[in-house]
C-alpha cells in the first residue's frame, strides 16, 4: 500500500469535505438565503404580492440588475412565483410560494435575534480591534 504525502492527504480530506458540504442541506439553504438581498426580498414579499418596482422601492440600495438576479434565483429555487398579466404595458407580479411562506418564520427569528444581539457583536468587534487582533474575553482582557 502506497503512503500518501501530507499534501495528498490534505487534498483528499478537502475533496471529502467539499462533497459533504455540497450535499449538506443547511449549507445549500444558506447559499440561497445568505445572499445580501434574498432575505430582504423574501421579507418584503411576506407582506403580499408586489410588482417589480414596488420591491425595488422597498430595497433602495439594490440595483436593478441585482434585484432581477435575486428574484430569478428565488423563483428558480421555488420560494417566489412570478405571474405575468398580459396588458399594455405587461404587468409582472411576485408572490411567495408555499415554500416561501414556510421560510418566513425562520427569517423573522433571525431578524429578531439580530435586533437583540447586534450590540454584542459590535462590542466584540471593538474589543477585538483594541487587542490588535488578539483574542479577548467577555471582560475585555486579553486571552493570549
Amino acid at each position: 500500500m502506497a503512503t500518501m504525502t501530507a499534501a495528498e492527504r490534505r487534498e483528499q480530506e478537502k475533496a471529502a469535505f467539499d462533497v459533504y458540504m455540497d450535499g449538506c442541506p443547511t449549507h445549500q439553504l444558506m447559499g440561497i438565503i445568505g445572499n445580501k438581498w434574498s432575505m430582504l426580498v423574501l421579507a418584503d414579499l411576506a407582506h403580499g404580492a408586489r410588482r417589480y418596482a414596488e420591491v425595488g422601492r422597498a430595497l433602495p440600495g439594490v440595483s436593478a440588475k441585482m434585484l432581477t438576479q435575486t428574484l430569478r434565483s428565488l423563483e428558480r429555487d421555488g420560494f417566489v412565483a412570478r405571474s405575468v398579466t398580459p396588458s399594455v404595458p405587461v404587468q409582472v407580479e411576485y408572490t411567495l410560494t408555499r415554500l416561501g411562506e414556510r421560510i418566513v418564520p425562520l427569517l423573522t427569528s433571525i431578524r429578531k435575534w439580530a435586533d437583540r444581539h447586534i450590540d454584542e457583536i459590535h462590542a466584540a468587534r471593538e474589543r477585538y480591534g483594541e487587542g490588535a487582533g488578539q483574542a479577548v474575553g467577555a471582560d475585555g482582557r486579553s486571552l493570549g
Side-chain angles (χ1 to χ4, degrees):
M1 178 163 118
T3 57
M4 284 196 264
T5 66
E8 290 170 331
R9 273 194 312 278
R10 281 192 304 274
E11 193 59 37
Q12 186 179 36
E13 290 168 1
K14 180 184 181 305
F17 181 76
D18 287 346
V19 167
Y20 166 76
M21 291 303 287
D22 289 343
C24 174
T26 303
H27 180 74
Q28 292 175 40
L29 179 62
M30 291 309 295
I32 296 166
I33 65 167
N35 129 357
K36 181 176 182 177
W37 298 107
S38 292
M39 286 183 63
L40 297 172
V41 167
L42 291 168
D44 183 57
L45 292 177
H47 299 291
R50 300 276 193 264
R51 295 185 60 190
Y52 179 89
E54 292 173 309
V55 177
R57 280 192 298 274
L59 308 172
V62 69
S63 69
K65 178 182 176 185
M66 187 52 61
L67 180 57
T68 298
Q69 288 176 351
T70 301
L71 286 165
R72 284 182 182 162
S73 175
L74 291 170
E75 181 182 7
R76 179 200 67 214
D77 293 330
F79 291 99
V80 170
R82 177 180 185 263
S83 61
V84 178
T85 304
S87 61
V88 179
V90 172
Q91 292 185 2
V92 179
E93 193 172 72
Y94 295 91
T95 57
L96 291 180
T97 62
R98 182 88 172 107
L99 183 64
E101 290 170 353
R102 289 194 305 246
I103 201 165
V104 169
L106 172 64
L107 302 179
T108 300
S109 293
I110 292 171
R111 183 189 51 78
K112 287 179 180 179
W113 187 93
D115 288 346
R116 282 192 306 269
H117 299 287
I118 196 66
D119 290 339
E120 294 174 57
I121 294 169
H122 291 161
R125 286 180 179 176
E126 285 182 35
R127 288 191 306 272
Y128 183 86
E130 290 168 2
Q134 297 175 10
V136 292
D139 61 0
R141 290 191 281 186
S142 175
L143 298 177

